[in-house]
Amino acid sequence: MSTKNTLQSSAQGDPATDDPEQESQNDSNKIWGGRFSQAPDSLMETINASIGFDQRLFAQDILGSTAHCKMLVDQGILDTKAGDQILNGLERIQKEIEQGSFNFKNSLEDIHLNIEGRLGEIIGENAGRLHTARSRNDQVATDFKLWIRDTIDKIDDALKGLQSVLIDQAEENAATIMPGFTHLQAAQPVTAGHHLLAYVEMFGRDRSRFQDTRARLNECPLGSAALAGTSYPIDRDQTAKALGFDRPTANSLDSVSDRDFALEFLSSAAITALHLSRLGEEIIVWCSAQFSFAKLSDAFTTGSSIMPQKRNPDAAELVRGKSGRIVGSLISLITVMKGLPLAYSKDMQEDKEPIFDGSESIGICIAAMTGMIKDIEFNIDRLREATEEGFTTATDLADWLVRVLGLPFRKAHHITGELVKLAEKSNRKLEQLSLEEMQGVEARITDDVFSILGAVESVTSRTSYGGTAPQNVLSQVKNARERFL
């Protein structure tokens, strides 16, 4: 008994049968012709069918078939009457799929044969002329490139939206002081705006990687046929142009066996997911009771079934968790492709699900993070309090010793370490040490040193290009809007 795809209802005009196994055999015989006399085993049909997931390619498949049909007519390979029938039939099929009335059949394996089979039901024998001068091998490569290209454009728009809300928050918090960390230890004062702009840069690089992938994939495989090209006088430049590609691919063997574009897409998605995960982790830490740096609203948090006080940052945790899923999709496809000889092998059917799952996951993660960044509220008082912990202005003290007293930095570093140890032993901050205590470590220290030991003075002084000074942040906010939005 064949496995039926029940995602869509039966289309009007489909031939009815009370015997699904006979229907499967009839469908198979229509496609494979005289070479096979029996229908595939039901298990073979199950493992071979990809229609359950590759039906997502229907719009790209119809677009590619439309361009191919028009080219065949223009080249005199297909007569105008048959071409018009095919084009009208394809248009009808697209409407059926969009309206949910198309009957996807496992017995027809994939989206390509499902559409071709339905076209035959609508227009008859001329449907078979559409496959002249092409193969499912170049057809699926073309469809897949078109789908990934469309998806890259959507991801770019989504990342641009995420950058926009990050930039807005950075501008609002250009002077909001917070501790900067290394090794998750308080290091130096920074501003929250400066911290957020770091992620703007990361996502800018992510967008660039996706665009590089898009540029490299934008060559059209259609017309490469099974692996060796075709003897028909086709015009591959015409179909490439019609489908928005820069040019046709140069080698027919490479055209049908190449999945570099899919690997690059998932590589870019994986790196983006890592950046989203890092930001998600920071939000989780910031929103913890122990840090209390920030707060998310009810829209992006959940409660506990047993602990009524809990506000769990589930959205951020799911972004962090889904990064593993996206990286897993990349590893899955790398593993599929690593040992395949030229040209096409059925293993390559396994390329779709990692792409579909990875693209869906990265889209959800970007949308969730955009919502969280727009929603987040920083606890300005707590951030300021935390900045004053951990001797975060110790580097400013060392710099003062170099700049004012002319000490070598390594000696200044040692003196500052002695002063930190002294303050730590007495449970005080650096600025709470007396001048006499400081001079006990380095006699030339003057009371001017206290002018640089505050967090505000520290961040204000960091005016080097790319530094955290509030005026820098505002300048970089403007620059980021010009570069990315």
Side-chain angles (χ1 to χ4, degrees):
M1 187 70 70
S2 64
T3 304
K4 295 294 291 176
N5 187 307
T6 59
L7 292 178
Q8 307 287 348
S9 59
S10 176
Q12 184 179 2
D14 281 341
T17 177
D18 294 327
D19 186 351
E21 188 170 334
Q22 181 62 44
E23 178 185 336
S24 173
Q25 182 170 353
N26 289 342
D27 289 335
S28 299
N29 287 344
K30 287 178 185 177
I31 298 301
W32 304 123
R35 178 63 180 87
F36 294 87
S37 57
Q38 293 181 327
D41 183 86
S42 60
L43 179 58
M44 178 59 190
E45 181 177 301
T46 300
I47 195 173
N48 197 43
S50 60
I51 189 60
F53 50 84
D54 71 11
Q55 60 185 262
R56 295 191 188 203
L57 300 174
F58 79 89
Q60 289 78 21
D61 194 73
I62 291 172
L63 186 65
S65 291
T66 297
H68 184 67
C69 178
K70 290 179 178 178
M71 181 274 295
L72 292 177
V73 171
D74 289 347
Q75 293 298 108
I77 301 170
L78 182 65
D79 66 70
T80 302
K81 181 179 178 181
D84 288 343
Q85 285 183 319
I86 289 169
L87 294 175
N88 290 334
L90 290 172
E91 185 177 349
R92 176 176 167 180
I93 290 169
Q94 179 148 359
K95 289 179 180 178
E96 289 177 355
I97 296 175
E98 290 172 347
Q99 293 168 1
S101 61
F102 189 93
N103 181 32
F104 292 103
K105 300 176 182 179
N106 273 6
S107 57
L108 291 178
E109 296 185 14
D110 56 32
I111 187 61
H112 323 296
L113 295 185
N114 267 265
I115 288 175
E116 183 178 331
R118 178 61 180 143
L119 186 62
E121 293 170 0
I122 295 171
I123 71 171
E125 190 176 51
N126 275 339
R129 300 184 186 280
L130 176 59
H131 211 55
T132 304
R134 76 173 183 185
S135 162
R136 277 195 298 175
N137 294 354
D138 62 335
Q139 188 178 357
V140 68
T142 303
D143 293 356
F144 206 22
K145 280 192 170 186
L146 289 170
W147 193 92
I148 290 178
R149 193 178 70 185
D150 291 343
T151 302
I152 286 173
D153 292 343
K154 293 174 184 176
I155 289 174
D156 185 73
D157 284 342
L159 285 172
K160 181 178 178 180
L162 175 54
Q163 286 180 300
S164 179
V165 296
L166 281 165
I167 291 168
D168 288 344
Q169 283 280 18
E171 183 174 35
E172 185 176 338
N173 292 281
T176 299
I177 296 172
M178 67 176 289
F181 296 90
T182 62
H183 309 279
L184 204 55
Q185 304 294 312
Q188 291 180 263
V190 296
T191 61
H194 188 61
H195 194 113
L196 294 171
L197 285 177
Y199 285 99
V200 173
E201 294 299 319
M202 290 187 203
F203 296 128
R205 293 194 297 273
D206 292 331
R207 289 177 66 187
S208 177
R209 271 183 284 271
F210 278 115
Q211 288 304 318
D212 287 346
T213 298
R214 193 190 193 284
R216 265 186 295 277
L217 72 76
N218 211 35
E219 295 181 343
C220 184
L222 194 58
S224 298
L227 76 162
T230 179
S231 59
Y232 292 95
I234 62 173
D235 185 346
R236 293 191 62 206
D237 287 305
Q238 178 180 335
T239 49
K241 183 178 179 181
L243 295 172
F245 290 103
D246 295 330
R247 65 191 69 85
T249 51
N251 182 283
S252 60
L253 281 167
D254 179 58
S255 300
V256 298
S257 61
D258 167 41
R259 291 298 183 273
D260 289 359
F261 61 92
L263 290 168
E264 280 196 59
F265 172 82
L266 284 176
S267 296
S268 299
I271 296 172
T272 302
L274 297 183
H275 292 156
L276 290 165
S277 181
R278 293 180 72 179
L279 182 52
E281 169 67 9
E282 298 218 87
I283 290 173
I284 292 163
V285 170
W286 291 345
C287 292
S288 67
Q290 288 70 28
F291 274 76
S292 297
F293 284 2
K295 180 181 178 181
L296 290 172
S297 73
D298 295 349
F300 293 97
T301 56
T302 63
S304 166
S305 63
I306 189 173
M307 295 169 284
Q309 84 281 8
K310 295 292 291 299
R311 182 191 289 272
N312 299 324
D314 281 11
E317 291 173 358
L318 287 167
V319 168
R320 185 178 61 183
K322 283 183 180 293
S323 66
R325 185 167 179 164
I326 296 164
V327 172
S329 294
L330 171 61
I331 298 303
S332 174
L333 186 53
I334 288 173
T335 306
V336 167
M337 296 301 300
K338 69 176 180 59
L340 299 186
L342 296 179
Y344 182 85
S345 297
K346 193 67 172 181
D347 312 48
M348 291 165 69
Q349 181 171 290
E350 295 298 312
D351 60 1
K352 310 295 182 307
E353 288 179 288
I355 287 287
F356 294 153
D357 189 79
S359 65
E360 184 173 341
S361 295
I362 196 67
I364 291 171
C365 289
I366 295 170
M369 187 57 70
T370 302
M372 283 187 285
I373 293 299
K374 191 173 183 178
D375 180 81
I376 200 167
E377 293 182 10
F378 288 99
N379 185 342
I380 296 174
D381 292 337
R382 173 59 191 144
L383 287 171
R384 176 66 176 270
E385 178 186 346
T387 307
E388 294 173 352
E389 300 167 356
F391 308 104
T392 58
T393 59
T395 304
D396 297 271
L397 173 55
D399 288 340
W400 184 91
L401 293 170
V402 172
R403 187 175 60 253
V404 176
L405 301 186
L407 299 178
F409 182 80
R410 285 303 171 198
K411 185 173 183 180
H413 186 283
H414 180 79
I415 291 170
T416 301
E418 291 289 327
L419 291 171
V420 167
K421 184 165 61 175
L422 178 62
E424 189 174 43
K425 182 180 291 188
S426 57
N427 197 28
R428 288 179 290 170
K429 301 171 184 176
L430 279 173
E431 59 267 35
Q432 292 175 327
L433 294 174
S434 68
L435 179 60
E436 290 75 15
E437 287 174 307
M438 290 189 180
Q439 289 175 337
V441 176
E442 169 51 60
R444 290 175 290 173
I445 293 177
T446 68
D447 60 3
D448 178 63
V449 73
F450 294 102
S451 68
I452 54 87
L453 292 179
V456 172
E457 290 76 15
S458 176
V459 297
T460 302
S461 71
R462 305 290 171 181
T463 56
S464 59
Y465 183 78
T468 190
Q471 67 188 68
N472 283 31
V473 173
L474 291 174
S475 176
Q476 290 300 324
V477 161
K478 180 181 178 182
N479 180 267
R481 285 201 171 104
E482 293 172 353
R483 290 164 58 205
F484 298 123
L485 304 185

